[in-house]
Amino acid sequence: AKSQGRNNCQLFSPRMAELAEESLSLEHALRTAADRDEFILYYQPQIEMATRKLVGVEALIRWNSQQFGMVSPAKFIRIAEECGLILQMGDWVLREACRQRAEWNLAGVADFPIAVNVSALQFRQPEFIRRVEEALQIYGISTTQLELELTESIVMHESGATAAALRRLRDMGVALSIDDFGTGYSSLGYLKHLPIQKLKVDGAFVRGIESDKADRAIVEAIVSLGRALDLTLVAEGVEQRSTITVLSKLGCHVAQGYYYCRPLPAEEFVSWFSQFNG
Ligand code: C2E
Ligand code: CA
Ligand code: CA
Ligand code: CA
């Protein structure tokens, strides 16, 4: 009955027209967002569970649109990818993260890396590596202070160019993680020969770890696979103390989520960190 309902769906409903219009005007506003300085990076800590030490932060883009208010990346990243804006946006994210790290270096903030999300389109640009090198150089930060979060769709792409780019980045000293691990492709063979250091277990599995047998089995399988391959396992979407207990028992190393801290603007993040430390 369900699939029948779907087949009966009207080709073009008023709701769809509304959505198409919304996405068009979002796209329009998105085109001027960079010039208007409407993007900002928020930072979310990654905590090693065994030591309660901060081992990194993930940079997450926010769009404070004059016209629409705060727009979620869940909404605008896809639009930016569809119209190609993601390239300039991704470059801005890379540079802004390096600029922030340099500022923290000057201020004596602890030497943890910043992890940046990379879109597949961005990664496939022939000049992507040069852009990474430029961002590091301009702000004079160490390659070990930058990490890249890649999707399975990036690393799964079986081309010599992809493997070479990943190796080059790794040789530079940039750590590479696979984001949302388990939600994308089913082939795992790439883990054997690509220079990946971390797997990020998707929050959708992590949040079900105590209530859903299947979610728990999936996390358990990812953790044991990752450990066998000497990878660092990062659980995202950790919202509760009890989840930390289960994840630690399973052998997961690092946790990220609202339980510790929501993504925060740089200054607020630093004051959270000084409290967490002290
Ligand atoms: P992601 O890379 O998987 O990032 C994790 C998302 O989970 C973030 O959503 C974060 O705010 C949210 N989150 C963190 N802890 C918790 C928790 O405990 N519970 C719940 N329910 N959620 C939690 P956000 O910031 O809205 O970003 C959504 C997605 O947009 C990201 O998913 C990423 O795919 C994309 N994105 C964000 N910033 C960038 C960027 O600079 N470049 C690119 N290419 N994509 C980005
Ligand atoms: Ca991510
Ligand atoms: Ca993720
Ligand atoms: Ca995710």
Side-chain angles (χ1 to χ4, degrees), residues 67-89:
Q67 193 180 350
F68 298 97
M70 272 292 187
V71 187
S72 159
K75 244 184 179 173
F76 70 81
I77 294 287
R78 189 186 46 82
I79 296 174
E81 282 173 339
E82 282 166 5
C83 64
L85 275 171
I86 193 74
L87 300 182
Q88 99 181 54
M89 188 186 297

Side-chain angles (χ1 to χ4, degrees), residues 6 30 84 118 135 145 157 163 201 203 214 227 236:
R6 218 172 277 154
L30 205 50
V118 177
Q145 294 190 311
H157 205 254
V201 186
R227 289 187 69 102
E236 51 176 41

